[in-house]
Amino acid sequence: MLRSFVFAAAMLVPLAGVAQVRVDKLTFPPGTKHAEDFEVPVISGVDPRAAARINLAIQYPLLGIVPGRYRQPMFPDDSMTARTTSLSFTVIRADEQIVTLDIQGEYMGAHPSSGHTWMTFETRTGQPVATSDILTPSGIASSQKAVDKALRAGIRDVLDHQDPARFGDNATEAQDDMRAQREQYDECIGDMARHDWNTTFQWGAQLTVSRGCMFPHVIQALDDAGEKTWTASYASLADRMTPFGRCLLVDRKANCKRDDVRPTAGVWRGTIGKAAISLLTQDDSLIYLYDRYGEAIALTARTTTPGHWVLERKDDKKDVLETFDLTAAAEGGFTGTWTQAGKASLPVRLE
């Protein structure tokens, strides 16, 4: 049965001078098993449509739910021994320009592990902000090169001062560990040379770019170089930013416009006929869902002419089962029709 979420009343993070932006903690209905292990952010205090987009983009990937909808059990017992076992978050920035969150998760698979996911949204629209929205290709490349330089220096320092005693008393095992460490660092340096970057861009008060070698779980303890960071002010990056990036983070203006607005990127909410739906990208895939049910339906997309998109759901035989035919609306968002094989078309509105 679907039930509504209740949101915490207390603000988690004081946001001096920006009272309108709230970042609260999602409170699950009483009796939800394992709820204490899952701390999930909720945005409010901004345009309700923007808040709805942000909260959907957070809660659906993390919890598999549409905000305001609840399925019991939320966290089956087997989720404590596989997949995500806990979540927490830190607010990096939340003001009239952007909301940036650091989502920390613990996971259980072949080995227990942990990781971070950074999410950034434009506060005014609620749309996700990608690195390519802010930096030009040359700006991205120069930032990656800067942090790679710091990581290479850290690796060289480790390899120049390898100490067998650091790996234990057994001389044979120490030599094996030193060899494994060197091989992994050589592979990491090769990844950088091939531009195979594992780089994180964090949009806070300034840009922080992070890079590590990501040793396999079984030899993580051998990574003495660790993660390196490179920081830069937005003003210093202005000539390497897109017009949207400069408007948003340097000039800090309202109503900054993106050059490329399309239904195949971002988060869009609306209707098919009278049914509420959401359209969003997840894990580099395009999905839509009926808000009432929350089940992801995969789509593929093709652009026929500028401002006109056709999105299709196909079966395993590549036969088209349903089609969205969308055009950009003058007032923003997209309008068009949805057609399912053998059924009459229904109007679509997304914003």
Side-chain angles (χ1 to χ4, degrees), residues 144-189:
Q144 288 171 323
K145 289 177 181 178
V147 73
D148 283 354
K149 180 179 179 181
L151 182 57
R152 285 194 187 92
I155 292 172
R156 285 196 299 270
D157 185 63
V158 170
L159 294 181
D160 288 346
H161 301 91
Q162 275 187 307
D163 179 7
R166 174 252 183 264
F167 300 102
D169 297 331
N170 186 304
T172 300
E173 291 182 0
Q175 290 298 320
D176 288 343
D177 285 346
M178 291 174 65
R179 187 180 306 109
Q181 183 188 63
R182 180 175 290 277
E183 289 173 352
Q184 192 65 38
Y185 282 137
D186 286 343
E187 181 177 336
C188 182
I189 291 172

Side-chain angles (χ1 to χ4, degrees), residues 16-216:
V18 192
Q20 70 271 28
V21 183
R22 293 179 60 91
V23 184
D24 297 320
K25 183 168 63 176
L26 185 64
T27 300
F28 302 100
T32 301
K33 295 179 66 175
H34 309 300
E36 67 277 5
D37 297 316
F38 290 83
E39 183 179 281
V40 178
V42 176
I43 306 302
S44 64
V46 297
D47 183 290
R49 293 169 298 180
R53 293 188 189 105
I54 295 174
N55 291 324
L56 176 66
I58 293 170
Q59 293 179 32
Y60 195 79
L62 294 182
L63 302 176
I65 61 167
V66 176
R69 305 286 183 173
Y70 182 80
R71 283 194 174 98
Q72 188 71 277
M74 185 69 228
F75 307 111
D77 286 335
D78 66 0
S79 72
M80 297 299 99
T81 57
R83 303 184 298 276
T84 304
T85 57
S86 70
L87 291 168
S88 60
F89 69 91
T90 302
V91 179
I92 304 300
R93 176 171 172 174
D95 59 22
E96 68 275 14
Q97 256 61 52
I98 61 172
V99 174
T100 297
L101 304 166
D102 174 9
I103 311 293
Q104 303 108 43
E106 294 185 352
Y107 315 96
M108 180 62 72
H111 305 279
S113 60
S114 60
H116 292 254
T117 300
W118 284 269
M119 296 182 174
T120 297
F121 304 91
E122 184 188 1
T123 305
R124 181 181 63 87
T125 65
Q127 290 291 0
V129 175
T131 298
S132 57
D133 294 326
I134 301 298
L135 293 176
T136 62
S138 62
I140 293 173
S142 63
S143 300
Q144 288 171 323
K145 289 177 181 178
V147 73
D148 283 354
K149 180 179 179 181
L151 182 57
R152 285 194 187 92
I155 292 172
R156 285 196 299 270
D157 185 63
V158 170
L159 294 181
D160 288 346
H161 301 91
Q162 275 187 307
D163 179 7
R166 174 252 183 264
F167 300 102
D169 297 331
N170 186 304
T172 300
E173 291 182 0
Q175 290 298 320
D176 288 343
D177 285 346
M178 291 174 65
R179 187 180 306 109
Q181 183 188 63
R182 180 175 290 277
E183 289 173 352
Q184 192 65 38
Y185 282 137
D186 286 343
E187 181 177 336
C188 182
I189 291 172
D191 288 344
M192 287 185 273
R194 292 188 298 271
H195 304 289
D196 183 11
W197 285 298
N198 177 44
T199 311
T200 300
F201 290 76
Q202 302 167 44
W203 304 98
Q206 60 184 353
L207 172 61
T208 300
V209 186
S210 303
R211 175 72 158 91
C213 283
M214 298 294 291
F215 276 32

